[in-house]
């Protein structure tokens, strides 16, 4: 994210920060940066521990509240109608694929688990933390809101070194929320932090003006502009050498460009001098590219303060896109995922790679039929095609471009939307009136997509019905077929999380029987025992990745259909380390299946789940 090399340069020098005591203030948080950072404390090889992630989210905001910090979280939305970051996103997907391949072998850079964002949004909602999901990239809206309130921005994105921020930019690695301290005198405790100083940074390069930083970012290359268009300039200009000591001078171009820009009074003057080094036929195109790209560092005109006060998210780009109002409202409130707006606007989506078997088809392949139904609902594929020839049918059904793993590369494939039942395509219920479709019809579409009858789910608690239906689908559609021990491990994990919920839930209406409490303590002792077999079973990992893919798309279809089934709590649903351990131990000790035998209620739940999905 941000300007390549800038974070490394700033951190190496370490002299561009001021100490900050964060308390009694508003704080605008880059949500994407925060959940990526908090994920680092959980298991990243076995598919994520969403309970650990959500516990970290709870501790983080509790620390802020203790210091009387009012936090407001702003999340990225879709890719935007212009799709300007497409090449950067393809490069990032390739990096994630390399990280996943490294983790398969046992080591590699961190990789955010598939459902981390969804679990994070759920955690914010449970905690009552104010948050918004933007229509597209959030950076400009974050900057505008922070400047409106004169408060700091908390992020990992070096683009915030470039924005002119009244309250400054606090990099997350320097925000010591786990070390909240009591002040020597009132008004109380604070979070020790460091704030990036643009004044100190620009002073390092002589007379460099802050207004030139956006031009520097654009020329050095950010997520929107690569360096290729300006290679002629860098090949001809003599950049001042500056201070290139340390690390072999690997930031030489960055420093040279900043020193070169310091001779100019304003961006327009600098742009004219850049153009002198280019061929005449290139100049107007490059001028337009530079000027347009610099606008990415101007604060947005979207009024997020109005959203946080009145719940209204208004955005000119959204109005131009002609998206139904209920979709925009649901997106802003995090009730629909960015995938939805990307498919609507771009007919394109990226499918996140996981730590899976790279020799097999992508784990996302298992969830393809669910995605096709999502595409059908969004793009309104008609089922009235009996008279059409096969060739005509290809042209009539909408197509979506998916970027997904194929072996060890990222490739794009074109996927047809599914035909939908007559209830959804007879013209009475276009997308803007989807909520007017009877609930029974929406639920029927969801369950038929997952291949489950409503009667099968009646004996299952409502908050587990969607995971149970997804598990039925997973058994039917996974390839290769899952093993019984994998299914048992998954269901035992779900039951253990349910037992954890009724023992630890703060809700006084949730009653915990004595035998449930005894069974829970026995389970905790089992968990505390040293795990003898820490082998990583890649085939099992691949199967559990497929389950997460199916759950993710089942969750998104359920959200799009306005939740005909209750949305499950992801923090109480999947723990990667636990499901892998259960699978390994079941192979050697089948009696592990009786782990909850002291609780008749949990034993019954396990048997009901097992019988439902096996039937």
């Amino acid at each position: 994210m941000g300007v390549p090399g800038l974070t490394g340069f700033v951190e190496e020098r370490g002299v561009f920060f001021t100490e900050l005591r964060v308390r009694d203030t508003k704080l605008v948080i880059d949500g994407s940066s925060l959940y990526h950072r908090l994920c680092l404390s959980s298991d990243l090889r076995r598919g994520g521990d969403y309970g650990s992630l959500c516990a970290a989210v709870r501790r983080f905001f509790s620390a802020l509240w203790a210091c009387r910090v009012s936090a407001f979280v702003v999340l990225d939305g879709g890719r935007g109608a212009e799709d300007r970051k497409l090449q950067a996103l393809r490069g990032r997907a390739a990096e994630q694929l390399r990280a996943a391949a490294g983790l398969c072998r046992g080591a590699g850079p961190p990789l955010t688990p598939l459902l981390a964002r969804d679990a994070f949004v759920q955690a914010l909602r449970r905690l009552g933390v104010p948050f918004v999901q933007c229509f597209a990239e959030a950076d400009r809206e974050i900057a505008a809101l922070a400047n409106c309130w004169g408060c700091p921005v908390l992020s990992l994105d070096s683009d915030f070194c470039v924005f002119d921020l009244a309250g400054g930019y606090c990099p997350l690695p320097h925000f010591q929320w786990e070390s909240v301290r009591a002040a020597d005198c009132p008004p109380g405790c604070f979070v020790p932090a460091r704030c990036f100083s643009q004044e100190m940074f620009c002073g390092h390069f002589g007379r460099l003006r802050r207004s030139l930083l956006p031009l520097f970012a654009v020329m050095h290359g950010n997520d929107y502009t690569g360096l290729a268009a300006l290679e002629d300039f860098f090949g001809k200009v003599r950049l001042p050498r500056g201070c290139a000591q340390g690390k072999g001078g690997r930031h030489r171009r960055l420093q040279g460009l900043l020193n070169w820009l310091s001779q100019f009074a304003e961006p327009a003057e600098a742009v004219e001098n850049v153009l002198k080094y280019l061929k005449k036929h290139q100049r107007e195109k490059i001028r337009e590219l530079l000027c347009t790209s610099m606008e990415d560092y101007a604060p947005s005109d979207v009024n997020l303060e109005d959203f946080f006060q009145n719940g209204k998210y208004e955005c000119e780009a959204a109005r131009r896109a002609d998206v139904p109002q209920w979709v925009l409202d649901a997106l802003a409130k995090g009730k629909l995922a960015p995938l939805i707006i990307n498919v609507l606007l771009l007919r394109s989506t990226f499918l996140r790679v996981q730590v899976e078997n790279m020799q097999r088809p992508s784990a996302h392949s298992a969830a393809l039929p669910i995605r096709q139904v999502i595409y059908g609902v969004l793009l309104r594929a008609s089922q009235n095609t009996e008279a059409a020839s096969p060739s005509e049918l290809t042209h009539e059904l909408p197509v979506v471009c998916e970027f997904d793993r194929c072996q060890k590369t990222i490739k794009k494939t074109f996927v047809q939307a599914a035909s939908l039942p007559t209830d959804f395509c007879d013209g009475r219920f276009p997308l803007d009136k989807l909520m007017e479709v009877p609930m029974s019809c929406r639920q029927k579409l969801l369950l038929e997509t997952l291949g489950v009858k409503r009667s099968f789910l009646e004996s299952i608690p409502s908050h587990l019905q969607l995971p149970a239906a997804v598990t039925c689908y997973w058994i039917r559609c996974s390839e290769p077929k899952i093993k019984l021990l994998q299914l048992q491990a998954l269901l035992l994990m779900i039951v253990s999380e349910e037992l954890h919920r009724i023992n630890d839930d703060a809700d006084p209406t949730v009653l915990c029987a004595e035998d449930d409490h005894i069974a829970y303590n026995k389970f905790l002792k089992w968990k505390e025992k040293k795990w003898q077999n820490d082998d990583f079973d890649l085939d099992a990992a691949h199967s559990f990745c497929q389950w997460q893919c199916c759950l993710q798309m089942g969750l998104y279809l359920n959200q799009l259909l306005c939740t005909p089934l209750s949305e499950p709590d992801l923090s109480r649903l999947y723990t990667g380390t636990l499901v892998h351990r259960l699978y390994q131990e079941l192979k050697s000790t089948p009696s592990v299946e009786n782990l909850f035998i002291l609780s008749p209620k949990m034993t019954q739940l396990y048997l009901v789940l097992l019988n439902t999905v096996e039937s």
Side-chain angles (χ1 to χ4, degrees):
M1 294 185 290
V3 183
L6 183 56
T7 293
F9 174 75
V10 167
E11 292 293 339
E12 281 177 19
R13 296 309 180 275
V15 295
F16 306 127
F17 295 104
T18 57
E19 300 299 319
L20 190 65
R21 294 183 170 190
V22 181
R23 65 183 172 201
D24 299 296
T25 182
K26 288 185 170 75
L27 180 67
V28 179
I29 299 175
D30 175 355
S32 301
S33 289
L34 180 58
Y35 78 76
H36 278 99
R37 179 78 179 175
L38 295 180
C39 274
L40 298 180
S41 62
S42 67
D43 182 272
L44 301 177
R45 196 181 183 202
R46 293 175 171 83
D49 287 353
Y50 300 118
S52 297
L53 168 62
C54 293
V57 173
R58 185 168 57 252
R59 291 195 305 273
F60 177 85
F61 286 102
S62 295
L64 296 190
W65 295 331
C67 301
R68 298 166 307 285
V69 174
S70 300
F72 296 83
V73 177
V74 185
L75 285 153
D76 290 324
R79 285 150 46 193
E82 296 173 345
D83 206 15
R84 291 172 55 212
K85 285 181 68 171
L86 177 60
Q87 292 309 312
L89 290 171
R90 293 185 75 163
R92 200 164 293 155
E95 289 173 11
Q96 290 166 353
L97 178 54
R98 288 191 289 273
L103 287 168
C104 285
R105 296 189 297 270
L111 183 71
T112 307
L114 184 68
L115 298 171
R117 179 195 172 98
D118 305 295
F120 178 69
V121 168
Q122 287 186 348
L124 295 179
R125 192 172 285 124
R126 274 195 305 276
L127 293 169
V129 176
F131 75 95
V132 63
Q133 181 172 261
C134 298
F135 183 70
E137 176 96 357
D139 289 6
R140 294 180 63 219
E141 294 178 37
I142 290 171
L145 182 63
N147 281 342
C148 173
W149 288 336
C151 70
V153 167
L154 183 66
S155 178
L156 282 171
D157 191 338
S158 61
D159 277 327
F160 290 108
C161 294
V162 177
F163 279 99
D164 188 4
L165 298 171
Y169 159 50
C170 294
L172 260 165
H174 298 291
F175 191 78
Q176 300 174 54
W177 62 273
E178 292 181 287
S179 303
V180 168
R181 296 176 191 166
D184 298 331
C185 57
C189 58
F190 61 90
V191 178
R194 302 179 82 193
C195 187
F196 173 77
S197 169
Q198 271 194 358
E199 183 178 356
M200 295 168 72
F201 181 77
C202 290
H204 185 76
F205 299 98
R207 299 186 307 275
L208 180 65
R209 290 163 172 79
R210 294 186 187 190
S211 61
L212 288 157
L213 290 178
L215 180 58
F216 151 71
V218 170
M219 292 182 67
H220 190 62
N222 58 18
D223 282 348
Y224 292 108
T225 58
L227 296 174
L230 293 172
E231 281 307 316
D232 282 351
F233 165 80
F234 285 108
K236 294 175 182 176
V237 70
R238 290 194 63 183
L239 296 177
R241 292 185 64 184
C243 303
Q245 294 90 359
K247 304 293 183 182
R250 65 191 178 98
H251 300 298
R252 187 173 289 116
R253 178 185 277 194
L254 179 150
Q255 295 179 87
L257 179 57
L258 286 163
N259 276 307
W260 184 81
L261 288 170
S262 68
Q263 65 186 299
F264 304 111
E266 59 179 8
E269 181 188 359
V271 168
E272 292 306 318
N273 278 272
V274 170
L275 299 179
K276 289 177 183 178
Y277 291 91
L278 305 180
K279 295 172 184 174
K280 287 185 178 180
H281 73 274
Q282 293 180 305
R283 291 177 183 176
E284 282 310 307
K285 181 180 178 182
I286 299 300
R287 185 203 308 276
E288 183 180 350
L289 172 66
L290 293 176
C291 293
T292 301
S293 299
M294 282 191 287
E295 291 175 7
D296 293 322
Y297 295 97
S300 166
D301 58 0
V302 174
N303 187 351
L304 285 188
E305 184 179 40
D306 189 39
F307 174 83
F308 286 120
Q309 289 178 349
N310 306 311
K312 292 173 62 179
Y313 181 88
E314 295 187 355
C315 165
E316 181 59 34
R319 282 193 289 271
R320 289 198 305 269
D322 193 27
V323 175
Q325 189 60 46
W326 79 266
V327 173
L328 293 178
D329 292 342
L331 280 164
K333 294 173 182 175
K335 294 180 179 180
L336 290 176
L339 173 141
I340 300 300
I341 196 65
N342 288 334
V343 170
L344 263 179
L345 293 188
L346 305 172
R347 298 199 177 190
S348 169
T349 188
F350 281 83
L351 302 175
R352 285 185 61 86
V353 69
Q354 301 174 84
V355 184
E356 57 191 82
N357 191 331
M358 301 293 168
Q359 303 306 315
R360 289 184 177 170
S362 164
H364 287 285
S365 302
L368 174 60
I370 309 177
R371 293 198 302 278
Q372 288 176 300
V373 173
I374 292 173
Y375 304 156
V377 172
L378 289 171
L379 306 175
R380 276 296 180 270
S382 172
Q383 198 176 34
N384 187 23
T385 54
E386 291 85 352
S389 68
S391 60
E392 290 172 328
L393 187 61
T394 301
H395 295 293
E396 285 186 13
L397 292 174
V399 170
V400 173
C401 174
E402 294 185 339
F403 292 90
D404 192 12
R405 179 185 68 79
C406 180
Q407 300 295 317
K408 292 187 179 180
T409 60
I410 298 295
K411 290 192 175 179
K412 64 179 180 180
T413 55
F414 293 93
V415 172
Q416 273 189 353
S419 299
L420 298 182
T422 308
D423 291 335
F424 287 85
C425 346
D426 61 3
R428 289 183 299 143
F429 300 113
L431 185 60
D432 61 349
K433 295 184 178 178
L434 180 62
M435 287 186 289
E436 296 177 21
V437 177
M439 173 66 83
S440 59
C441 294
R442 286 182 272 130
Q443 188 181 85
K444 182 181 177 186
L445 177 62
L446 174 65
L447 295 178
E448 284 183 352
T449 301
L450 299 176
V452 177
K453 292 181 179 178
R454 184 73 185 92
S455 59
F456 282 15
L457 302 177
E458 289 173 353
S459 57
I460 295 173
S462 60
H463 61 285
L464 293 177
Q465 287 180 352
L466 182 59
V470 164
T471 305
C472 293
Y473 173 92
W474 173 60
I475 290 173
R476 195 177 73 254
C477 296
S478 61
E479 195 60 49
K481 293 301 179 185
I482 66 157
K483 298 174 181 176
L484 176 60
L485 293 183
Q486 292 168 356
L487 172 62
Q488 290 172 331
L490 185 83
L491 297 182
L492 285 169
M493 175 197 65
I494 292 173
V495 171
S496 75
E497 295 295 349
E498 183 68 3
L499 187 61
H500 179 56
R501 184 183 72 84
I502 64 175
N503 273 271
D504 276 14
D505 204 311
D507 184 352
T509 63
V510 178
L511 298 177
C512 179
E514 181 64 23
D515 47 18
D516 294 332
H517 188 64
I518 294 170
Y520 184 56
N521 286 333
K522 179 188 175 187
F523 170 68
L524 291 179
K525 288 179 181 176
W526 176 84
K527 275 181 73 176
E528 288 167 3
K529 285 195 304 183
K530 185 172 176 58
W531 187 6
Q532 299 300 321
N533 183 2
D534 196 23
D535 291 344
F536 182 68
D537 188 318
L538 189 56
D539 288 338
H542 194 86
S543 292
F544 296 135
C545 284
Q546 288 180 320
W547 186 80
Q548 284 208 66
C549 292
C550 297
L551 179 64
Q552 182 187 49
M553 291 305 151
L555 194 69
Y556 291 175
L557 178 58
N558 190 50
Q559 291 172 347
L560 180 59
L561 296 174
C562 311
T563 55
L565 292 181
S566 298
E567 183 165 311
D569 177 357
L570 296 175
S571 72
R572 299 290 201 206
L573 196 61
Y574 187 87
T575 303
T577 49
L578 177 58
V579 74
H580 277 259
R581 177 177 178 179
L582 284 165
Y583 175 64
Q584 292 290 355
E585 296 219 3
L586 280 166
K587 286 197 291 186
S588 59
T589 315
S591 61
V592 169
E593 190 180 9
N594 299 320
L595 195 56
F596 307 110
I597 199 166
L598 293 178
S599 167
K601 184 178 177 181
M602 293 300 112
T603 302
Q604 176 67 16
L605 176 60
Y606 173 71
L607 293 174
V608 166
L609 288 170
L610 186 62
N611 292 335
T612 298
V613 298
E614 283 190 325
S615 65

